[in-house]
Short mmCIF file of all heavy atoms in Angstrom, two decimals:
data_model
loop_
_atom_site.label_atom_id
_atom_site.label_comp_id
_atom_site.label_asym_id
_atom_site.label_seq_id
_atom_site.Cartn_x
_atom_site.Cartn_y
_atom_site.Cartn_z
N MET Q 1 35.11 29.49 8.54
CA MET Q 1 35.64 28.56 7.55
C MET Q 1 34.44 28.21 6.71
O MET Q 1 33.29 27.96 7.11
CB MET Q 1 36.15 27.35 8.34
CG MET Q 1 36.53 26.15 7.42
SD MET Q 1 37.31 24.82 8.19
CE MET Q 1 36.38 24.40 9.55
N LEU Q 2 34.63 28.23 5.42
CA LEU Q 2 33.65 27.82 4.43
C LEU Q 2 34.13 26.58 3.66
O LEU Q 2 35.28 26.62 3.28
CB LEU Q 2 33.36 29.00 3.44
CG LEU Q 2 32.24 28.82 2.44
CD1 LEU Q 2 30.92 28.65 3.14
CD2 LEU Q 2 32.21 30.00 1.50
N SER Q 3 33.33 25.67 3.52
CA SER Q 3 33.77 24.41 2.85
C SER Q 3 32.68 23.83 1.94
O SER Q 3 31.54 24.20 2.00
CB SER Q 3 34.17 23.36 3.89
OG SER Q 3 33.08 22.98 4.66
N TYR Q 4 33.08 22.96 1.08
CA TYR Q 4 32.17 22.21 0.26
C TYR Q 4 32.47 20.73 0.54
O TYR Q 4 33.46 20.17 0.34
CB TYR Q 4 32.31 22.45 -1.19
CG TYR Q 4 31.26 21.74 -2.03
CD1 TYR Q 4 29.93 22.20 -1.99
CD2 TYR Q 4 31.62 20.69 -2.90
CE1 TYR Q 4 28.98 21.59 -2.75
CE2 TYR Q 4 30.59 20.08 -3.58
CZ TYR Q 4 29.37 20.52 -3.56
OH TYR Q 4 28.34 19.89 -4.30
N ASN Q 5 31.46 20.04 1.19
CA ASN Q 5 31.59 18.63 1.63
C ASN Q 5 31.06 17.71 0.51
O ASN Q 5 29.83 17.77 0.11
CB ASN Q 5 30.85 18.43 2.92
CG ASN Q 5 31.31 19.36 3.95
OD1 ASN Q 5 32.46 19.51 4.22
ND2 ASN Q 5 30.30 19.97 4.63
N ILE Q 6 31.96 16.95 -0.08
CA ILE Q 6 31.58 15.96 -1.14
C ILE Q 6 31.25 14.67 -0.60
O ILE Q 6 32.11 14.00 0.05
CB ILE Q 6 32.72 15.91 -2.16
CG1 ILE Q 6 33.01 17.34 -2.81
CG2 ILE Q 6 32.31 14.94 -3.32
CD1 ILE Q 6 34.21 17.36 -3.65
N LEU Q 7 30.09 14.11 -0.91
CA LEU Q 7 29.66 12.81 -0.45
C LEU Q 7 29.27 11.97 -1.57
O LEU Q 7 28.44 12.35 -2.38
CB LEU Q 7 28.44 13.00 0.55
CG LEU Q 7 27.83 11.67 1.13
CD1 LEU Q 7 28.90 10.89 1.93
CD2 LEU Q 7 26.69 11.97 1.94
N ASN Q 8 29.79 10.73 -1.61
CA ASN Q 8 29.53 9.79 -2.73
C ASN Q 8 29.58 8.40 -2.09
O ASN Q 8 30.44 8.05 -1.39
CB ASN Q 8 30.65 9.90 -3.80
CG ASN Q 8 30.27 8.98 -4.99
OD1 ASN Q 8 29.23 8.42 -5.01
ND2 ASN Q 8 31.22 8.93 -5.93
N TYR Q 9 28.42 7.71 -2.26
CA TYR Q 9 28.36 6.45 -1.65
C TYR Q 9 27.41 5.45 -2.46
O TYR Q 9 26.73 5.89 -3.34
CB TYR Q 9 27.70 6.52 -0.28
CG TYR Q 9 26.30 7.05 -0.25
CD1 TYR Q 9 25.24 6.25 -0.22
CD2 TYR Q 9 26.08 8.38 -0.18
CE1 TYR Q 9 23.96 6.71 -0.28
CE2 TYR Q 9 24.81 8.95 -0.20
CZ TYR Q 9 23.72 8.07 -0.28
OH TYR Q 9 22.53 8.57 -0.31
N THR Q 10 27.57 4.20 -2.18
CA THR Q 10 26.64 3.15 -2.73
C THR Q 10 26.00 2.36 -1.61
O THR Q 10 26.69 2.25 -0.49
CB THR Q 10 27.31 2.26 -3.76
OG1 THR Q 10 28.41 1.65 -3.02
CG2 THR Q 10 27.90 3.02 -4.91
N TYR Q 11 24.95 1.76 -1.83
CA TYR Q 11 24.27 1.01 -0.78
C TYR Q 11 23.62 -0.26 -1.45
O TYR Q 11 22.94 -0.23 -2.47
CB TYR Q 11 23.14 1.73 -0.16
CG TYR Q 11 22.34 1.06 0.86
CD1 TYR Q 11 22.88 0.81 2.12
CD2 TYR Q 11 21.07 0.52 0.62
CE1 TYR Q 11 22.14 0.14 3.10
CE2 TYR Q 11 20.37 -0.20 1.48
CZ TYR Q 11 20.85 -0.37 2.73
OH TYR Q 11 20.19 -1.11 3.69
N ASP Q 12 24.00 -1.43 -0.97
CA ASP Q 12 23.50 -2.69 -1.38
C ASP Q 12 22.82 -3.43 -0.23
O ASP Q 12 23.34 -3.42 0.93
CB ASP Q 12 24.62 -3.60 -1.96
CG ASP Q 12 25.24 -3.04 -3.21
OD1 ASP Q 12 24.45 -2.51 -4.00
OD2 ASP Q 12 26.43 -3.20 -3.35
N ASP Q 13 21.70 -4.13 -0.45
CA ASP Q 13 20.95 -4.77 0.56
C ASP Q 13 20.71 -6.22 0.08
O ASP Q 13 20.08 -6.42 -0.97
CB ASP Q 13 19.65 -4.03 0.82
CG ASP Q 13 18.85 -4.65 2.00
OD1 ASP Q 13 19.36 -5.54 2.66
OD2 ASP Q 13 17.79 -4.13 2.30
N ASN Q 14 21.20 -7.15 0.86
CA ASN Q 14 20.97 -8.61 0.50
C ASN Q 14 19.68 -9.17 1.11
O ASN Q 14 19.34 -10.35 0.90
CB ASN Q 14 22.16 -9.47 1.05
CG ASN Q 14 23.38 -9.12 0.28
OD1 ASN Q 14 23.32 -8.68 -0.82
ND2 ASN Q 14 24.59 -9.22 0.93
N ASN Q 15 18.90 -8.37 1.87
CA ASN Q 15 17.66 -8.83 2.45
C ASN Q 15 16.59 -8.92 1.37
O ASN Q 15 16.25 -7.97 0.68
CB ASN Q 15 17.27 -7.79 3.54
CG ASN Q 15 16.07 -8.17 4.28
OD1 ASN Q 15 15.38 -9.17 3.94
ND2 ASN Q 15 15.72 -7.45 5.37
N PRO Q 16 15.99 -10.14 1.15
CA PRO Q 16 14.99 -10.27 0.13
C PRO Q 16 13.74 -9.41 0.35
O PRO Q 16 13.04 -9.07 -0.59
CB PRO Q 16 14.68 -11.75 0.10
CG PRO Q 16 15.15 -12.32 1.42
CD PRO Q 16 16.21 -11.35 1.92
N ASN Q 17 13.42 -9.17 1.67
CA ASN Q 17 12.25 -8.30 1.94
C ASN Q 17 12.61 -6.79 1.65
O ASN Q 17 11.71 -5.99 1.47
CB ASN Q 17 11.89 -8.44 3.37
CG ASN Q 17 11.40 -9.87 3.70
OD1 ASN Q 17 10.82 -10.54 2.83
ND2 ASN Q 17 11.67 -10.30 4.91
N GLY Q 18 13.86 -6.51 1.73
CA GLY Q 18 14.33 -5.18 1.37
C GLY Q 18 13.93 -4.13 2.45
O GLY Q 18 12.82 -4.10 2.85
N VAL Q 19 14.82 -3.36 2.78
CA VAL Q 19 14.58 -2.22 3.68
C VAL Q 19 14.62 -0.97 2.79
O VAL Q 19 15.54 -0.72 2.10
CB VAL Q 19 15.65 -2.09 4.76
CG1 VAL Q 19 15.42 -0.85 5.63
CG2 VAL Q 19 15.60 -3.34 5.61
N LYS Q 20 13.55 -0.23 2.83
CA LYS Q 20 13.49 0.98 2.00
C LYS Q 20 14.56 1.99 2.54
O LYS Q 20 14.56 2.34 3.70
CB LYS Q 20 12.16 1.64 2.04
CG LYS Q 20 11.03 0.80 1.48
CD LYS Q 20 11.20 0.52 0.07
CE LYS Q 20 10.05 -0.30 -0.52
NZ LYS Q 20 10.27 -0.74 -1.88
N PHE Q 21 15.35 2.42 1.64
CA PHE Q 21 16.46 3.33 1.98
C PHE Q 21 16.22 4.65 1.23
O PHE Q 21 16.28 4.73 0.00
CB PHE Q 21 17.79 2.74 1.62
CG PHE Q 21 19.00 3.59 2.05
CD1 PHE Q 21 19.32 3.68 3.32
CD2 PHE Q 21 19.78 4.14 1.03
CE1 PHE Q 21 20.46 4.42 3.70
CE2 PHE Q 21 20.87 4.91 1.38
CZ PHE Q 21 21.22 5.08 2.73
N ASP Q 22 15.90 5.66 2.00
CA ASP Q 22 15.74 7.07 1.36
C ASP Q 22 17.01 7.80 1.41
O ASP Q 22 17.53 8.18 2.47
CB ASP Q 22 14.64 7.77 2.21
CG ASP Q 22 14.40 9.21 1.63
OD1 ASP Q 22 14.76 9.41 0.49
OD2 ASP Q 22 13.81 10.00 2.36
N ASN Q 23 17.61 7.92 0.21
CA ASN Q 23 18.89 8.71 0.13
C ASN Q 23 18.66 10.14 -0.20
O ASN Q 23 19.65 10.83 -0.48
CB ASN Q 23 19.78 7.99 -0.84
CG ASN Q 23 19.26 8.10 -2.28
OD1 ASN Q 23 18.13 8.57 -2.48
ND2 ASN Q 23 20.01 7.59 -3.18
N SER Q 24 17.52 10.66 -0.10
CA SER Q 24 17.25 12.07 -0.47
C SER Q 24 17.78 13.11 0.49
O SER Q 24 18.01 14.18 0.16
CB SER Q 24 15.77 12.32 -0.58
OG SER Q 24 15.07 12.09 0.58
N SER Q 25 18.12 12.62 1.78
CA SER Q 25 18.67 13.54 2.74
C SER Q 25 20.17 13.56 2.80
O SER Q 25 20.78 14.26 3.62
CB SER Q 25 18.13 13.21 4.15
OG SER Q 25 18.52 11.89 4.51
N TYR Q 26 20.80 12.79 1.88
CA TYR Q 26 22.27 12.75 1.87
C TYR Q 26 22.75 13.36 0.50
O TYR Q 26 22.08 13.24 -0.56
CB TYR Q 26 22.74 11.25 1.93
CG TYR Q 26 22.37 10.65 3.28
CD1 TYR Q 26 21.31 9.71 3.29
CD2 TYR Q 26 23.08 10.92 4.38
CE1 TYR Q 26 20.92 9.13 4.49
CE2 TYR Q 26 22.68 10.33 5.58
CZ TYR Q 26 21.69 9.43 5.64
OH TYR Q 26 21.34 8.89 6.85
N GLY Q 27 23.93 13.94 0.55
CA GLY Q 27 24.50 14.48 -0.63
C GLY Q 27 25.56 15.55 -0.30
O GLY Q 27 25.75 15.89 0.85
N SER Q 28 26.15 16.04 -1.29
CA SER Q 28 27.18 17.06 -1.12
C SER Q 28 26.50 18.38 -0.78
O SER Q 28 25.46 18.70 -1.26
CB SER Q 28 27.96 17.28 -2.47
OG SER Q 28 28.55 15.98 -2.80
N THR Q 29 27.20 19.09 0.17
CA THR Q 29 26.62 20.34 0.69
C THR Q 29 27.73 21.32 1.01
O THR Q 29 28.84 20.97 1.05
CB THR Q 29 25.82 20.07 2.01
OG1 THR Q 29 26.71 19.61 2.97
CG2 THR Q 29 24.71 19.19 1.85
N ILE Q 30 27.30 22.57 1.17
CA ILE Q 30 28.21 23.60 1.62
C ILE Q 30 28.18 23.67 3.19
O ILE Q 30 27.13 23.46 3.77
CB ILE Q 30 27.77 25.02 1.11
CG1 ILE Q 30 27.91 25.04 -0.44
CG2 ILE Q 30 28.57 26.10 1.76
CD1 ILE Q 30 27.37 26.30 -1.04
N GLY Q 31 29.32 23.71 3.71
CA GLY Q 31 29.51 23.75 5.19
C GLY Q 31 30.01 25.14 5.70
O GLY Q 31 30.74 25.82 4.98
N PHE Q 32 29.74 25.45 6.90
CA PHE Q 32 30.11 26.72 7.49
C PHE Q 32 30.55 26.49 8.90
O PHE Q 32 29.81 25.88 9.65
CB PHE Q 32 29.00 27.78 7.39
CG PHE Q 32 29.30 29.06 8.12
CD1 PHE Q 32 30.21 29.94 7.44
CD2 PHE Q 32 28.73 29.42 9.22
CE1 PHE Q 32 30.50 31.15 8.02
CE2 PHE Q 32 29.09 30.62 9.85
CZ PHE Q 32 29.94 31.48 9.24
N SER Q 33 31.62 27.07 9.28
CA SER Q 33 32.10 27.03 10.70
C SER Q 33 32.62 28.37 11.13
O SER Q 33 33.15 29.09 10.34
CB SER Q 33 33.25 25.98 10.80
OG SER Q 33 32.89 24.68 10.46
N ILE Q 34 32.40 28.69 12.38
CA ILE Q 34 32.97 29.87 12.91
C ILE Q 34 33.54 29.65 14.33
O ILE Q 34 33.01 28.88 15.06
CB ILE Q 34 31.90 30.99 13.02
CG1 ILE Q 34 32.49 32.32 13.38
CG2 ILE Q 34 30.78 30.61 13.90
CD1 ILE Q 34 31.59 33.51 13.15
N TYR Q 35 34.73 30.19 14.47
CA TYR Q 35 35.49 29.97 15.77
C TYR Q 35 36.08 31.27 16.26
O TYR Q 35 36.43 32.20 15.51
CB TYR Q 35 36.67 28.98 15.49
CG TYR Q 35 36.20 27.60 15.31
CD1 TYR Q 35 36.05 27.11 13.97
CD2 TYR Q 35 35.93 26.75 16.35
CE1 TYR Q 35 35.57 25.82 13.76
CE2 TYR Q 35 35.44 25.51 16.12
CZ TYR Q 35 35.33 25.01 14.88
OH TYR Q 35 34.86 23.73 14.57
N PHE Q 36 36.15 31.32 17.58
CA PHE Q 36 36.84 32.42 18.25
C PHE Q 36 37.80 31.78 19.27
O PHE Q 36 37.43 30.84 19.95
CB PHE Q 36 35.89 33.36 19.03
CG PHE Q 36 34.91 34.02 18.04
CD1 PHE Q 36 33.62 33.51 17.84
CD2 PHE Q 36 35.23 35.17 17.41
CE1 PHE Q 36 32.78 34.14 16.99
CE2 PHE Q 36 34.37 35.77 16.54
CZ PHE Q 36 33.08 35.27 16.30
N GLY Q 37 38.99 32.33 19.33
CA GLY Q 37 39.94 31.71 20.24
C GLY Q 37 41.22 32.59 20.52
O GLY Q 37 41.20 33.71 20.07
N GLY Q 38 42.07 32.02 21.21
CA GLY Q 38 43.27 32.74 21.55
C GLY Q 38 44.45 31.81 21.90
O GLY Q 38 44.25 30.66 22.10
N ARG Q 39 45.61 32.44 21.99
CA ARG Q 39 46.80 31.68 22.33
C ARG Q 39 47.53 32.46 23.42
O ARG Q 39 47.56 33.69 23.52
CB ARG Q 39 47.78 31.58 21.13
CG ARG Q 39 47.33 30.70 20.08
CD ARG Q 39 48.40 30.58 19.02
NE ARG Q 39 47.85 29.94 17.89
CZ ARG Q 39 48.23 30.17 16.63
NH1 ARG Q 39 49.16 31.09 16.37
NH2 ARG Q 39 47.69 29.51 15.60
N TYR Q 40 48.17 31.68 24.33
CA TYR Q 40 49.05 32.31 25.37
C TYR Q 40 50.41 31.66 25.22
O TYR Q 40 50.55 30.45 25.34
CB TYR Q 40 48.46 32.04 26.72
CG TYR Q 40 49.35 32.66 27.82
CD1 TYR Q 40 49.39 33.97 28.06
CD2 TYR Q 40 50.24 31.80 28.52
CE1 TYR Q 40 50.21 34.45 29.03
CE2 TYR Q 40 51.09 32.30 29.48
CZ TYR Q 40 51.10 33.68 29.76
OH TYR Q 40 51.93 34.14 30.65
N PHE Q 41 51.42 32.49 24.84
CA PHE Q 41 52.78 31.98 24.65
C PHE Q 41 53.51 31.89 25.98
O PHE Q 41 53.69 32.87 26.71
CB PHE Q 41 53.57 32.89 23.71
CG PHE Q 41 53.19 32.59 22.25
CD1 PHE Q 41 52.16 33.20 21.62
CD2 PHE Q 41 53.93 31.64 21.54
CE1 PHE Q 41 51.80 33.03 20.33
CE2 PHE Q 41 53.62 31.37 20.18
CZ PHE Q 41 52.51 32.04 19.60
N PHE Q 42 53.89 30.67 26.32
CA PHE Q 42 54.77 30.42 27.51
C PHE Q 42 56.22 30.85 27.23
O PHE Q 42 56.88 31.40 28.09
CB PHE Q 42 54.70 28.97 27.91
CG PHE Q 42 53.35 28.46 28.24
CD1 PHE Q 42 52.69 27.58 27.45
CD2 PHE Q 42 52.70 28.93 29.43
CE1 PHE Q 42 51.40 27.11 27.79
CE2 PHE Q 42 51.44 28.50 29.69
CZ PHE Q 42 50.77 27.60 28.94
N THR Q 43 56.68 30.46 26.03
CA THR Q 43 57.99 30.87 25.63
C THR Q 43 57.87 31.56 24.18
O THR Q 43 56.68 31.69 23.69
CB THR Q 43 58.90 29.58 25.48
OG1 THR Q 43 58.44 28.80 24.43
CG2 THR Q 43 58.97 28.87 26.80
N LYS Q 44 58.98 31.80 23.62
CA LYS Q 44 58.93 32.43 22.23
C LYS Q 44 58.27 31.49 21.22
O LYS Q 44 57.67 32.00 20.29
CB LYS Q 44 60.36 32.80 21.87
CG LYS Q 44 60.44 33.52 20.51
CD LYS Q 44 61.85 33.79 20.19
CE LYS Q 44 62.01 34.37 18.82
NZ LYS Q 44 63.37 34.72 18.44
N ASN Q 45 58.38 30.18 21.39
CA ASN Q 45 57.90 29.23 20.46
C ASN Q 45 56.80 28.30 20.84
O ASN Q 45 56.30 27.47 20.09
CB ASN Q 45 59.05 28.35 19.94
CG ASN Q 45 60.15 29.19 19.25
OD1 ASN Q 45 59.92 30.25 18.68
ND2 ASN Q 45 61.36 28.76 19.35
N LEU Q 46 56.38 28.32 22.12
CA LEU Q 46 55.42 27.37 22.61
C LEU Q 46 54.20 28.11 23.28
O LEU Q 46 54.36 29.00 24.14
CB LEU Q 46 56.01 26.45 23.63
CG LEU Q 46 55.12 25.41 24.31
CD1 LEU Q 46 54.70 24.41 23.24
CD2 LEU Q 46 55.81 24.67 25.42
N ALA Q 47 53.01 27.75 22.86
CA ALA Q 47 51.76 28.39 23.41
C ALA Q 47 50.69 27.36 23.61
O ALA Q 47 50.61 26.31 23.02
CB ALA Q 47 51.32 29.43 22.34
N ALA Q 48 49.83 27.73 24.49
CA ALA Q 48 48.54 27.00 24.72
C ALA Q 48 47.45 27.77 23.92
O ALA Q 48 47.48 28.93 23.80
CB ALA Q 48 48.22 26.96 26.18
N GLN Q 49 46.51 26.97 23.36
CA GLN Q 49 45.47 27.64 22.55
C GLN Q 49 44.16 27.04 23.00
O GLN Q 49 44.01 25.91 23.46
CB GLN Q 49 45.72 27.46 21.06
CG GLN Q 49 45.53 26.02 20.59
CD GLN Q 49 45.71 25.99 19.09
OE1 GLN Q 49 46.46 26.66 18.56
NE2 GLN Q 49 44.96 25.10 18.44
N ALA Q 50 43.10 27.79 22.83
CA ALA Q 50 41.78 27.43 23.04
C ALA Q 50 40.84 28.06 22.03
O ALA Q 50 41.06 29.26 21.65
CB ALA Q 50 41.35 27.74 24.47
N GLU Q 51 39.76 27.36 21.53
CA GLU Q 51 38.85 27.85 20.62
C GLU Q 51 37.42 27.39 20.99
O GLU Q 51 37.22 26.33 21.46
CB GLU Q 51 39.13 27.35 19.20
CG GLU Q 51 40.45 27.77 18.62
CD GLU Q 51 40.71 27.09 17.30
OE1 GLU Q 51 40.16 26.02 17.02
OE2 GLU Q 51 41.46 27.69 16.53
N LEU Q 52 36.47 28.31 20.83
CA LEU Q 52 35.02 28.04 20.95
C LEU Q 52 34.38 28.36 19.67
O LEU Q 52 34.70 29.39 19.04
CB LEU Q 52 34.44 28.93 22.11
CG LEU Q 52 34.91 28.62 23.49
CD1 LEU Q 52 34.36 29.71 24.43
CD2 LEU Q 52 34.42 27.31 23.94
N GLY Q 53 33.41 27.61 19.29
CA GLY Q 53 32.73 27.91 17.98
C GLY Q 53 31.67 26.87 17.66
O GLY Q 53 31.27 26.12 18.35
N TYR Q 54 31.36 26.93 16.31
CA TYR Q 54 30.34 26.06 15.76
C TYR Q 54 30.87 25.49 14.50
O TYR Q 54 31.52 26.23 13.70
CB TYR Q 54 29.08 26.91 15.40
CG TYR Q 54 28.07 26.11 14.67
CD1 TYR Q 54 27.27 25.16 15.30
CD2 TYR Q 54 27.97 26.31 13.29
CE1 TYR Q 54 26.38 24.41 14.60
CE2 TYR Q 54 27.03 25.55 12.60
CZ TYR Q 54 26.27 24.66 13.23
OH TYR Q 54 25.33 23.88 12.52
N GLY Q 55 30.67 24.21 14.27
CA GLY Q 55 31.14 23.58 13.08
C GLY Q 55 31.63 22.17 13.30
O GLY Q 55 30.85 21.26 13.75
N VAL Q 56 32.96 21.98 13.18
CA VAL Q 56 33.53 20.67 13.39
C VAL Q 56 33.43 20.22 14.86
O VAL Q 56 33.10 19.11 15.20
CB VAL Q 56 34.96 20.67 12.90
CG1 VAL Q 56 35.63 19.31 13.19
CG2 VAL Q 56 35.10 20.98 11.39
N THR Q 57 33.66 21.18 15.76
CA THR Q 57 33.68 20.88 17.17
C THR Q 57 33.21 22.21 17.86
O THR Q 57 33.33 23.30 17.33
CB THR Q 57 35.01 20.38 17.70
OG1 THR Q 57 34.89 20.05 19.09
CG2 THR Q 57 36.10 21.40 17.55
N PHE Q 58 32.75 22.13 19.11
CA PHE Q 58 32.37 23.27 19.88
C PHE Q 58 33.49 23.86 20.73
O PHE Q 58 33.48 25.01 21.03
CB PHE Q 58 31.15 22.94 20.77
CG PHE Q 58 29.94 22.54 19.99
CD1 PHE Q 58 29.45 21.30 20.03
CD2 PHE Q 58 29.27 23.52 19.26
CE1 PHE Q 58 28.36 20.87 19.36
CE2 PHE Q 58 28.17 23.09 18.47
CZ PHE Q 58 27.70 21.83 18.58
N PHE Q 59 34.42 23.01 21.16
CA PHE Q 59 35.51 23.41 22.05
C PHE Q 59 36.73 22.68 21.60
O PHE Q 59 36.73 21.44 21.43
CB PHE Q 59 35.12 23.08 23.53
CG PHE Q 59 36.20 23.51 24.51
CD1 PHE Q 59 36.50 24.91 24.61
CD2 PHE Q 59 36.81 22.63 25.23
CE1 PHE Q 59 37.42 25.29 25.54
CE2 PHE Q 59 37.84 22.99 26.19
CZ PHE Q 59 38.11 24.36 26.24
N ASN Q 60 37.86 23.42 21.55
CA ASN Q 60 39.13 22.84 21.15
C ASN Q 60 40.20 23.47 22.02
O ASN Q 60 40.32 24.71 22.14
CB ASN Q 60 39.34 23.10 19.64
CG ASN Q 60 40.57 22.54 19.12
OD1 ASN Q 60 41.07 21.44 19.57
ND2 ASN Q 60 41.23 23.17 18.09
N ILE Q 61 41.08 22.57 22.50
CA ILE Q 61 42.24 23.09 23.23
C ILE Q 61 43.46 22.35 22.70
O ILE Q 61 43.30 21.25 22.19
CB ILE Q 61 42.17 22.89 24.80
CG1 ILE Q 61 42.03 21.40 25.15
CG2 ILE Q 61 41.01 23.64 25.35
CD1 ILE Q 61 42.04 21.07 26.59
N GLY Q 62 44.65 22.96 22.89
CA GLY Q 62 45.83 22.34 22.43
C GLY Q 62 47.09 23.16 22.56
O GLY Q 62 47.04 24.28 23.25
N LEU Q 63 48.18 22.67 22.04
CA LEU Q 63 49.43 23.40 22.07
C LEU Q 63 49.79 23.86 20.69
O LEU Q 63 49.47 23.18 19.71
CB LEU Q 63 50.56 22.51 22.59
CG LEU Q 63 50.44 22.02 24.04
CD1 LEU Q 63 51.54 21.01 24.33
CD2 LEU Q 63 50.52 23.25 24.97
N ALA Q 64 50.41 25.04 20.62
CA ALA Q 64 50.91 25.56 19.30
C ALA Q 64 52.39 25.73 19.36
O ALA Q 64 52.95 26.26 20.39
CB ALA Q 64 50.24 26.97 19.03
N LEU Q 65 53.04 25.28 18.35
CA LEU Q 65 54.51 25.36 18.25
C LEU Q 65 54.81 26.27 17.10
O LEU Q 65 54.46 25.96 15.92
CB LEU Q 65 55.07 23.99 18.03
CG LEU Q 65 56.59 23.83 17.98
CD1 LEU Q 65 57.26 24.35 19.25
CD2 LEU Q 65 57.02 22.45 17.73
N LYS Q 66 55.61 27.35 17.32
CA LYS Q 66 56.03 28.23 16.32
C LYS Q 66 57.43 27.89 15.89
O LYS Q 66 58.29 27.92 16.79
CB LYS Q 66 55.92 29.67 16.78
CG LYS Q 66 56.19 30.64 15.67
CD LYS Q 66 55.62 32.05 16.07
CE LYS Q 66 56.46 32.91 16.85
NZ LYS Q 66 56.05 34.27 17.02
N ILE Q 67 57.70 27.59 14.68
CA ILE Q 67 59.03 27.10 14.17
C ILE Q 67 59.64 28.21 13.38
O ILE Q 67 59.06 28.90 12.58
CB ILE Q 67 58.93 25.86 13.34
CG1 ILE Q 67 58.28 24.77 14.19
CG2 ILE Q 67 60.32 25.41 12.86
CD1 ILE Q 67 58.09 23.46 13.42
#
């Protein structure tokens, strides 16, 4: 999976001493994820699935419904 993550924010500080806020490490970036997985169909329309990978999450399990 290839994505472009758009980040837009504002920051206000009411502290008169002020806390220095470095925003140079934040911004829109390109994201990359890779997953490998499989499904096992119990019936014609219902399956269990599992995925391993890198990106949004490292491990994902669930049910798949084919309509």
Side-chain angles (χ1 to χ4, degrees):
M1 176 172 48
L2 184 62
S3 64
Y4 185 70
N5 304 313
I6 299 171
L7 177 62
N8 185 5
Y9 64 92
T10 59
Y11 177 78
D12 292 324
D13 188 0
N14 294 330
N15 185 350
N17 296 328
V19 175
K20 298 294 182 188
F21 183 71
D22 180 18
N23 64 357
S24 63
S25 63
Y26 298 102
S28 301
T29 61
I30 293 176
F32 176 73
S33 300
I34 188 164
Y35 290 96
F36 298 97
R39 293 184 189 149
Y40 178 78
F41 280 88
F42 299 110
T43 67
K44 183 179 175 183
N45 297 333
L46 182 65
Q49 69 178 34
E51 297 174 334
L52 293 171
Y54 171 78
V56 178
T57 184
F58 297 110
F59 181 64
N60 183 28
I61 60 172
L63 294 175
L65 180 62
K66 186 162 86 170
I67 300 175

